[in-house]
Amino acid sequence: MPVDLARVTALRREIERHNHAYYVLDAPIVTDAEYDRLFRDLQALEAEHPELVTPDSPTQRVGGKPLDAFPKIRHAVPMLSIRTETDTEASGARAFDARVRRELGLGESDPPVEYSAELKFDGLAISLRYEHGMLVQAATRGDGETGEEVTQNIRTVHTIPLRLDTESPPAVLEVRGEVFIRRDDFERYNAKQREAGKPTLVNPRNGAAGSIRQLDPQLAAQRPLSFFAYGLGEVQGWPQPATHSATLDALEKMGVPVCAERTTGPGAATLVAFHDDIAARRDRLPFDIDGVVYKVDRVDLQRELGFVTREPRWAVAHKFPAQEQLTTVLGIEVQVGRTGALTPVARLAPVFVGGVTVTNATLHNQDEIDRKDVRVGDTVIVRRAGDVIPEVVSVVMERRLQPEPSRFDILQAYPVCPECGSHVVRLEGEAAARCTGGLYCPAQRKQALLHFAGRRAMDIEGLGDKLVDQLVDRGLVRTPADVYGLSLDALAGLDRMAEKSAANLLQAVESSKATTLARFIFSLGIRNVGETTAKDLAKHFGSLDRLIGAAEADLLAVRDVGPIVAQSILQFFAEPHNLEVVSKLRAAAVHWPESTGVQQSTGILAGKTLVLTGALPTLTRDAAKDLIEAAGGKVAGSVSKKTDYVVAGEEAGSKLVKAQELGVAILDEAGLLTLLAANNNNEQHVLDF
Ligand code: 5U1
């Protein structure tokens, strides 16, 4: 063999081996860089010696020239369809077994029939023709007799071998199966398309079918298609195994992808168990299926059973309830969540999908409404998979009403919150429109109260979620201000509230009145204002009224406050309902020391960012954080180039490694305390928050 041919052949073998490991086994054995290098070497050699290019070369997977139309192909062996069992319950499997036994003339005392069970993939049926081991042709089913030749597109499917991996290939081997798109590939592809402002695929099934029917193979090559084999067409020169299951095993050995989710066993019990197992795991499978398929395993029995009108008597598709249906959008409303986000919900004409009647489907947010262009009156595809909330997948544009209904805009339809009448805003960079009445809105009540009472906020011990649920559900507390009006009598009627715990709670409520400005600001639950920002704001403004009266420019002057945080603060205090609650809290004697504020922290750690990792010998996380912040420093959650110090304790993990990589200064607890001692000697920064 000439040197170049030997090298080309060796490179192809190696690349195909890596393709199989990567695409079929999902277990790559070389790095992407190494794979790219091999691929480029092969491309270069083929460019130098065009006479060495063969159709089975991995370089031929990238897609050739666009076609005007697909040539028609007559299938040597018709591509049959499969009978569907209409009974979607497990009894459907028993009905199939009973039919098979009757048709084979088996009596009750005869042994059970051996069956093979596999998945019914939701894609496009394809026939692959291998001659002497080489993929020479691929065709769609068409009407079963005649299909369309889609060889170029099929070559771009990486999981389909261009050459069978066997020393003695059959003269002819037609492999039949399904081209489909995995869910993760589908999501990844759509995300990439969205980012590039390009069209997305509606769902994996349409995506697979549309890609194969694409006349431009270069476009098909960009679609993340997969393939599983489930049967044979014409075979010459190959002693086909005696059973269907052994046939699939043999195909798999030749490098043809066959789904691992398959089983073989005796009688209806095997089928029922498989059906139930797959039905329970359907939503966790990496690809969509629309049911399972049962087949008589022995090929001789299959022949004996034969066909009726293009459907074999030896196989049946046992479908699961459809996960997608068409319906109409009767209206679009919003639901206000615990954090104040307004989620648009489509009210739908009732439709049976995924095993239940669906009347609502989430539209997620304004961007999703715009992207799918959903309007009231539209016919839409609604999807319900497992326990996931039903969602509108896409609009059937051909059925849009005329004249066209107008676009739905959340802020226009809901300028104020439907729950509490507070203003609705959409912050820059946020997907959700939100109610600004955080302290007042019934939808946000429980969340707001829990946050308000939290340890790092007003620190009301005993006011946890169970108690908050009861207080809100019984109408005893509507806003955080109501907490200060609770009495022993009111608490006495609550579940699991002994007199002692009621008294303790009231004591905790009383103690919480004396707080700090930073805690109070944090307790308000202003969006994007965490504990550190609350401290920065308290330090900077010194008084609540100065914060409430601050203009955007004043807010932007505060350390680490950017336009988004500033907008959140402005919108919170612009809502009269919130001011009303703040005023009631003050009237209830919630108080804190105020000051004139400081423009710049002067502590020894002013402007420094520290990261804590591992367990410190004496200080808790919270205590260390308090000390650092009191010295003007900031505690961040992750290490970056901007980190000034990492304080590492025992069992410090990846943050310590990262600090070492980036050359960030590392302290232990003693080192931190030494730094802080220097701060304390430097008495100038007495802060009053
Ligand atoms: N898994 C599987 N899907 N599927 C579809 N097997 C299978 N067999 C089919 C079809 C249409 O047809 C044969 C029974 C002819």
Side-chain angles (χ1 to χ4, degrees):
M1 198 190 283
V3 178
D4 288 330
L5 178 58
R7 173 89 183 119
V8 161
T9 310
L11 274 172
R12 283 181 192 154
R13 291 262 152 98
E14 190 168 4
I15 292 170
E16 280 302 353
R17 197 163 61 86
H18 296 323
N19 271 348
H20 188 73
Y22 183 90
Y23 290 106
V24 180
L25 306 178
D26 203 9
I29 40 183
V30 284
T31 61
D32 290 355
E34 176 64 5
Y35 179 87
D36 290 345
R37 193 182 63 72
L38 294 169
F39 201 88
R40 277 197 308 273
D41 286 356
L42 178 59
Q43 277 178 320
L45 269 173
E46 287 183 349
E48 231 175 273
H49 302 282
E51 74 282 3
L52 297 183
V53 178
T54 55
D56 70 324
S57 172
T59 57
Q60 303 306 297
R61 286 191 185 276
V62 287
K65 290 200 179 70
L67 302 172
D68 295 329
F70 295 116
K72 293 272 184 278
I73 291 284
R74 200 170 170 77
H75 298 297
V77 172
M79 278 184 88
L80 301 168
S81 46
I82 190 164
R83 178 185 165 142
T84 299
E85 180 59 59
T86 43
D87 176 356
T88 57
E89 300 298 309
S91 43
R94 290 194 200 94
F96 170 64
D97 177 50
R99 242 182 0 253
V100 167
R101 292 185 70 82
R102 197 175 53 244
E103 280 154 8
L104 288 173
L106 299 175
E108 271 186 23
S109 54
D110 289 311
V113 174
E114 281 287 316
Y115 291 110
S116 176
E118 57 205 66
L119 306 181
K120 177 108 180 55
F121 312 104
D122 212 359
L124 184 76
I126 288 288
S127 183
L128 308 175
R129 187 176 174 89
Y130 290 90
E131 289 180 1
H132 304 288
M134 302 280 258
L135 177 68
V136 293
Q137 196 173 69
T140 62
R141 180 208 304 274
D143 62 4
E145 298 281 344
T146 308
E148 289 179 323
E149 209 236 275
V150 290
T151 317
Q152 282 217 71
N153 286 349
I154 285 297
R155 278 189 195 288
T156 70
V157 181
H158 284 276
T159 61
I160 294 180
L162 300 177
R163 199 168 38 77
L164 296 175
D165 185 9
T166 168
E167 292 298 318
S168 45
V172 174
L173 183 72
E174 279 187 3
V175 176
R176 287 174 177 178
E178 200 97 350
V179 167
F180 63 95
I181 299 183
R182 289 169 55 102
R183 289 180 187 146
D184 53 356
D185 286 335
F186 173 79
E187 295 299 341
R188 222 175 292 136
Y189 176 84
N190 271 359
K192 225 170 67 198
Q193 289 290 100
R194 231 172 270 145
E195 224 166 80
K198 292 187 183 160
T200 51
L201 302 175
V202 169
N203 59 30
R205 187 194 47 235
N206 292 3
S211 305
I212 293 302
R213 296 221 178 83
Q214 177 65 251
L215 286 165
D216 182 354
Q218 307 236 355
L219 286 180
Q222 289 161 20
R223 306 280 174 83
L225 300 168
S226 296
F227 174 85
F228 277 140
Y230 55 64
L232 296 178
E234 187 186 4
V235 177
Q236 284 180 33
W238 189 53
Q240 195 197 333
T243 62
H244 173 71
S245 48
T247 304
L248 294 185
D249 292 345
L251 289 178
E252 197 169 25
K253 277 219 185 72
M254 287 191 255
V256 177
V258 181
C259 181
E261 298 281 3
R262 60 186 199 268
T263 194
T264 314
T270 300
L271 307 181
V272 171
F274 186 75
H275 173 273
D276 292 353
D277 172 41
I278 298 297
R281 293 190 292 118
R282 178 187 191 183
D283 299 316
R284 279 174 277 137
L285 292 174
F287 40 79
D288 287 353
I289 56 169
D290 57 5
V292 288
V293 172
Y294 310 137
K295 293 173 184 169
V296 171
D297 201 34
R298 271 172 51 186
V299 176
D300 61 334
L301 292 184
Q302 290 186 357
R303 291 208 183 99
E304 191 178 330
L305 284 158
F307 311 92
V308 254
T309 59
R310 318 227 138 270
E311 290 174 356
R313 284 201 191 91
W314 45 265
V316 77
H318 197 181
K319 295 257 181 124
F320 293 148
Q323 292 182 314
E324 289 187 2
Q325 290 291 357
L326 288 185
T327 187
T328 348
V329 178
L330 304 177
I332 300 178
E333 293 170 14
V334 294
Q335 271 171 4
V336 188
R338 286 164 64 88
T339 61
L342 268 64
T343 303
V345 176
R347 302 278 174 233
L348 305 171
V351 60
F352 193 71
V353 52
V356 301
T357 300
V358 167
T359 52
N360 301 314
T362 181
L363 292 168
H364 300 291
N365 54 48
Q366 184 71 53
D367 290 344
E368 283 293 291
I369 296 181
D370 294 345
R371 190 168 70 74
K372 294 175 184 161
D373 192 15
V374 183
R375 305 185 189 190
V376 176
D378 277 348
T379 300
V380 292
I381 298 173
V382 59
R383 179 179 173 84
R384 180 184 178 273
D387 295 334
V388 181
I389 310 168
E391 68 164 351
V392 170
V393 177
S394 63
V395 173
V396 185
M397 286 299 171
E398 303 79 60
R399 297 214 206 161
R400 173 159 281 170
L401 301 175
Q402 292 301 330
E404 288 202 349
S406 49
R407 266 190 74 237
F408 180 84
D409 184 282
I410 297 181
L411 293 179
Q412 234 167 42
Y414 292 92
V416 294
C417 171
E419 296 282 343
C420 73
S422 299
H423 293 106
V424 172
V425 296
R426 184 172 170 193
L427 291 177
E428 205 188 303
E430 282 207 359
R434 283 180 195 279
C435 162
T436 54
L439 284 185
Y440 175 82
C441 180
Q444 301 173 65
R445 212 163 260 169
K446 289 182 180 175
Q447 178 99 332
L449 279 164
L450 275 174
H451 177 79
F452 179 83
R455 202 165 50 81
R456 315 267 320 161
M458 297 299 281
D459 192 18
I460 307 178
E461 208 184 321
L463 191 52
D465 47 7
K466 297 227 166 53
L467 187 53
V468 164
D469 280 350
Q470 288 196 67
L471 292 171
V472 171
D473 294 344
R474 295 181 189 217
L476 292 171
V477 169
R478 278 194 294 276
T479 75
D482 296 336
V483 171
Y484 293 93
L486 286 173
S487 64
L488 266 183
D489 273 358
L491 293 175
L494 302 178
D495 298 341
R496 278 179 298 161
M497 178 59 75
E499 203 174 310
K500 178 94 174 84
S501 16
N504 285 346
L505 178 70
L506 290 184
Q507 182 51 52
V509 169
E510 190 57 33
S511 311
S512 76
K513 286 180 181 170
T515 186
T516 65
L517 178 56
R519 278 180 179 271
F520 186 76
I521 295 170
F522 178 55
S523 78
L524 299 178
I526 304 170
R527 190 142 186 89
N528 299 314
V529 176
E531 201 186 344
T532 307
T533 306
K535 284 180 180 166
D536 289 343
L537 291 168
K539 211 184 298 179
H540 185 96
F541 290 103
S543 94
L544 184 66
D545 290 327
R546 262 198 298 280
L547 172 63
I548 292 175
E552 185 172 12
D554 304 326
L555 291 166
L556 290 175
V558 181
R559 178 170 86 144
D560 287 339
V561 171
I564 291 177
V565 176
Q567 275 308 308
S568 300
I569 298 168
L570 288 171
Q571 278 158 354
F572 182 88
F573 290 119
E575 174 50 51
H577 290 126
N578 292 334
L579 292 179
E580 190 185 310
V581 177
V582 167
S583 144
K584 282 189 179 153
L585 284 165
R586 279 165 143 172
V590 173
H591 63 281
W592 51 85
E594 296 208 333
S595 73
T596 50
V598 282
Q599 299 308 306
Q600 208 86 61
S601 169
T602 53
I604 199 147
L605 294 179
K608 302 273 187 250
T609 302
L610 289 84
V611 172
L612 298 168
T613 178
L616 299 179
T618 65
L619 293 173
T620 62
R621 273 284 161 106
D622 285 346
K625 190 165 180 245
D626 282 343
L627 288 172
I628 290 166
E629 286 172 352
K634 190 179 140 187
V635 175
S638 58
V639 179
S640 74
K641 275 188 284 187
K642 291 189 184 156
T643 310
D644 295 290
Y645 297 103
V646 165
V647 183
E650 219 165 285
E651 287 181 25
S654 58
K655 291 180 190 173
L656 179 58
V657 175
K658 182 129 188 234
Q660 284 159 343
E661 279 169 13
L662 295 175
V664 173
I666 297 163
L667 298 174
D668 57 8
E669 184 184 284
L672 173 68
L673 292 173
T674 311
L675 254 185
L676 294 170
N679 185 64
N680 293 340
N681 295 337
N682 206 357
E683 280 295 347
Q684 44 162 307
H685 91 294
V686 180
L687 296 171
D688 56 358
F689 64 95

